[in-house]
Structure formats: C-alpha cells, structure tokens
DNA sequence: CATAGGGGTTCTAGTCACTGGAAGGTCAAG
DNA sequence: CTTGACCTTCCAGTGACTAGAACCCCTATG
C-alpha cells in the first residue's frame, strides 16, 4: 500500500506520515522503486499515533506510548502516569486560557466599540506609569 | 537606560526585548558605544507589549494594538474587534483542550494503573481494526 | 596597570510538529 | 507517447522566543 492510501486509512496527510518516519515512529518497508510499502500493522500504528496526537500527546509521549502498546508485558501504571502528567499540563493550559478569557471578555464588554478613541482595553494594556 | 534595567522595569527578559526590536515593535536609540538606550516611553511600550502578550495576543496583534494605542484619533471599535477575534480563538482552544481533558480523564479513572498490562487508555488509542 | 566581573553586542541554531514547495522519478490509462 | 497522478528527497518557513558562542565595554580593585 502506498503512502496516500495509508494516509487515507489512518486519516493522516502523507507529509505527516513521512515526518513520523523521519523521527522514527514508524518504519515502513520499501518497494523496489523506492516507494514506501505500508503493511496493515503500519497503518494500525499510524491510527494509534493519530489518535494519541489528537489527544494532545507530544511526539515523545507517542513514542513511549507506542512502545508500551506493543509491549505485552507492560504495566498499565506506566501508561497511566504519562496520561496523568499530560492531564496536568492540559489543566494548566486551560487555566491560563481561562484567565485570559476572563480578563479579556470583561474588557470587551466594557468597550463601547464605536468611532471614539476611549478604550478600556487599551487602558488596561497600558502599564501603570 | 540599558537593556537589563529596561527589562527589569517592564518585567521582560533582555533577549525578548532584543527580539521585539528585531521584529520592529520598538526602536530604542543607541549610545555611542552601540548599547541600546531606552527612554521612559520605550519602557512604557515594553510594558504594554508584555501585558498584551500575557493576554495571548500575537506579535502581529501587538503591532496593531500598539499603533492604535499611540493613535489619538483611533476608533475603539478597531481595538474591540481585535480583542473579540482573539477571544474567539481562546474559546476554541479551551474547547479543544476540554475535549481532550474529558476523554483523557475518563480513561485515566478507568485505568487500574498497576503492574498488569490491561489498559483502557491504550485500548482507546488503538484504532478499531 | 592588569585584571576580574558584570554589563553589552551580534550571529547562529534550536525549539515543536508539521507544512509548502521545488525538482525530479514512476506508473497506469488513453 | 503523452498526460496526469502518484511517488521521492531536500530545503525553508511557521511563532515567539531561548541558549550559547564569540567578542566588546566599563568600572572597581589589588
């Protein structure tokens, strides 16, 4: 199976798949013409990677998760720990974004938004001189 | 005033200030020895930029916001529109992160996290084959 | 006067996970 | 035989810094 077909099945762009190979996440075989030859298990891995990336795991997390996935003697605790660390980071990002959102949405409701220059948004951005 | 002192007052690292000059957000004068010479209004601008960046505005947004800030004949509507667009993007990011959070936190609570291989997290990552 | 330290300068390269584009090889259909 | 859709590699760009190297400047002290 060529790269485009593999991408279609795993729902990933060909460019992304080439990148995943470059960073060593997958190792598809090669046809005699140099084309990548994807086996079903390669496509399966790609699907795994796509899902893990969609959940926000980094490439390095994906590398570890994939190796755990393929390790029949893994401990689920190892997987859980990675997921929990990731959850912590997600929570931090959400908190930071919410803080921005709170501040900004307040300022936006305060701003007339007309053709006059007075603007509480700019007033808030200005440092206390 | 040298760069470090300016950074202290605006609460920004010197490296960041040099970067802001490189992309044209500020234009400090130069001493005869080549050192950047920051005037109070430069520090004021840096404070503005620091605050705007802390609210998540992009550098390009900052550029426009700064020019509006310095334009006494601005229309507050222009400022408000930028802020509202940014708010929309923040909301999208929060929604995406929350979706990840929901999925992952559910999976994490389902995972025993012991030394056995069974793991609902990995099971969820695996594509339906 | 030499030197030590704490400033400053520029430049390059690295971060993260792709993404776009150029230049060129391969293959199946008409 | 040509067209067009594939495929390949390699290089550059994204955003907003950040680390580090190599070098210059200034002041204070022994």
């Amino acid at each position: 199976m060529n790269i485009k077909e593999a991408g279609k099945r795993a729902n990933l762009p060909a460019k992304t798949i080439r990148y995943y190979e470059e960073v060593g996440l997958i190792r598809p075989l090669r046809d005699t013409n140099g084309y990548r030859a994807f086996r079903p298990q390669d496509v399966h891995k790609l699907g795994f990677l796509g899902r893990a990336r969609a959940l926000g795991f980094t490439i390095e997390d994906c590398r570890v998760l994939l190796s755990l996935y393929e390790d029949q003697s893994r401990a689920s605790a190892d997987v859980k720990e990675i997921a929990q660390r990731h959850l912590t980071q997600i929570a931090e990002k959400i908190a930071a974004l919410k803080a921005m959102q709170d501040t900004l949405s307040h300022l936006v409701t305060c701003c007339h938004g007309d053709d006059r220059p007075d603007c509480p948004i700019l007033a808030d951005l200005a440092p206390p001189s």
Side-chain angles (χ1 to χ4, degrees), chain A:
Chain A
M1 184 187 330
N2 283 349
I3 196 168
K4 200 160 195 183
E5 178 62 22
K8 201 177 295 175
R9 297 201 196 178
N11 199 29
L12 287 174
K15 285 268 187 189
T16 300
I17 297 176
R18 289 197 194 95
Y19 174 72
Y20 288 170
E21 182 184 16
E22 191 190 323
V23 300
L25 285 176
I26 50 162
R27 301 188 185 284
L29 302 176
R30 295 285 179 144
D31 284 340
T32 49
N33 58 12
Y35 288 18
R36 290 170 183 81
F38 292 86
R39 293 155 295 177
Q41 62 260 42
D42 295 320
V43 176
H44 193 76
K45 273 198 199 185
L46 287 172
F48 182 96
L49 291 170
R51 183 109 177 92
R53 288 287 303 127
L55 285 178
F57 286 106
T58 65
I59 292 289
E60 289 316 306
D61 279 345
C62 288
R63 195 187 305 282
V64 178
L65 288 171
L66 198 52
S67 78
L68 286 168
Y69 180 58
E70 296 183 319
D71 175 8
Q72 298 304 324
S73 69
R74 69 183 163 250
S76 64
D78 293 341
V79 181
K80 188 168 181 173
E81 197 198 322
I82 292 171
Q84 271 172 331
R85 262 193 289 108
H86 184 39
L87 265 178
T88 303
Q89 295 195 335
I90 288 175
E92 284 169 1
K93 279 186 193 166
I94 290 176
L97 285 168
K98 271 194 179 155
M100 293 178 193
Q101 192 181 44
D102 287 350
T103 302
L104 256 181
S105 58
H106 172 68
L107 291 172
V108 161
T109 53
C110 289
C111 178
H112 296 302
D114 54 23
D115 54 2
R116 286 172 300 170
D118 314 85
C119 179
I121 301 170
L122 292 180
D124 186 85
L125 289 174
S129 62

